[in-house]
Amino acid sequence: MSSVPAPPVAPPPAPAVARLSEGARIVNTFIAPSKTFTDLRRSAAWWGPWILISVVSIAFLFTVGKQIGFEQVSKNQIEHSKRAEQFDKLPADQQEKQLQISVKIFQGFAFGSPVLILFFTLISTVVLWATFKVGFSAETSFGQAYAIGMYAGLPGIIGAILGMISMFAGMSPEGFDINNPVGTNLAYYLDPETTGKFVRGMASSLDVLIIWTIVLIGIGFASTSKVKRSTAIMVVAGWYLVYKLVSSGLATLG
């Protein structure tokens, strides 16, 4: 009597990939970034980090207004610019008028920071997404690239929190630089009176938080496409270097 062949055994189903909540994505950005960026293939939502960064940004600027004062911030900016000598020659009423205009500009930035975050993230996303799409045939969609930029910006909240702590701890208002409020980069420790603006601008690129962000963006594009992680990080770092060379060069003109 012939034996009946056993029916083929079906392979076990692949384990379902756990979906991450917005909170889990934010936490994993700091401790397991690949999980966050891989989850962007499922959903490219970016509202979580945007809200968090916006809240911390507003809190930072509010602290600047209370502990330093936007008028003092304006004075500090003028003092280290080529306009300092010209400003000192103005009558007192003209000086006060210029300072008040600067104060209103700073206040506008404070209240408009959530919109500015959206705008600047959009600019960087366009450049990076086009580079990866055209140069490396990356599979990353524009929505995913925008979300990568948002999540990669999360380390910046550490700098804002450190800045607020420094201000509440008694930082000298006269020595406060709103463009570089925390000592996470080399430029913070250089004397603005003896160091050229170009050198300080380039030195500011050696920033722990910025390097962290660059690495995160590279991991993000590698996680959503077939681009190698090392290649992706180098591309992002290259574009940032170009940006710093241009912005530092322009700073010498002001």
Side-chain angles (χ1 to χ4, degrees), residues 223-234:
S223 298
T224 55
S225 67
K226 296 179 180 179
V227 180
K228 291 183 179 179
R229 180 177 294 188
S230 58
T231 301
I233 293 173
M234 290 297 293

Side-chain angles (χ1 to χ4, degrees), residues 49-248:
W50 173 64
I51 291 175
L52 180 57
I53 295 171
S54 297
V55 169
V56 175
S57 296
I58 292 173
F60 172 79
L61 291 168
F62 179 81
T63 304
V64 171
K66 289 295 183 181
Q67 299 297 116
I68 306 297
F70 288 123
E71 185 168 323
Q72 182 63 51
V73 172
S74 300
K75 290 179 180 179
N76 294 347
Q77 294 292 98
I78 293 172
E79 182 180 350
H80 296 112
S81 70
K82 292 183 178 180
R83 297 189 299 122
E85 185 176 351
Q86 181 182 0
F87 180 81
D88 290 337
K89 294 178 180 180
L90 292 174
D93 60 327
Q94 290 295 318
Q95 290 184 0
E96 182 64 23
K97 184 177 180 180
Q98 288 197 17
L99 288 175
Q100 290 307 312
I101 292 174
S102 296
V103 168
K104 290 180 179 178
I105 292 174
F106 280 122
Q107 289 174 337
F109 275 109
F111 290 111
S113 58
V115 176
L116 293 175
I117 291 167
L118 294 174
F119 176 70
F120 288 119
T121 302
L122 176 63
I123 293 176
S124 61
T125 298
V126 168
V127 173
L128 291 174
W129 180 75
T131 300
F132 281 106
K133 203 72 175 178
V134 175
F136 300 89
S137 300
E139 301 169 355
T140 307
S141 68
F142 185 82
Q144 291 169 344
Y146 193 78
I148 289 170
M150 280 295 179
Y151 281 98
L154 284 170
I157 68 176
I158 296 176
I161 292 171
L162 291 175
M164 288 187 282
I165 293 173
S166 297
M167 285 183 276
F168 281 117
M171 172 184 286
S172 170
E174 290 76 15
F176 179 78
D177 182 357
I178 196 168
N179 295 319
N180 196 4
V182 186
T184 57
N185 63 82
L186 179 60
Y188 183 87
Y189 304 98
L190 299 178
D191 185 355
E193 299 296 332
T194 59
T195 309
K197 288 187 176 181
F198 182 81
V199 174
R200 291 186 72 233
M202 294 306 298
S204 68
S205 63
L206 298 175
D207 189 299
V208 174
L209 300 178
I210 291 175
I211 294 172
W212 190 354
T213 295
I214 289 172
V215 172
L216 286 177
I217 295 175
I219 293 174
F221 277 97
S223 298
T224 55
S225 67
K226 296 179 180 179
V227 180
K228 291 183 179 179
R229 180 177 294 188
S230 58
T231 301
I233 293 173
M234 290 297 293
V235 169
V236 179
W239 269 117
Y240 181 70
L241 178 60
V242 171
Y243 162 74
K244 288 304 295 183
L245 285 169
V246 173
S247 60
S248 299

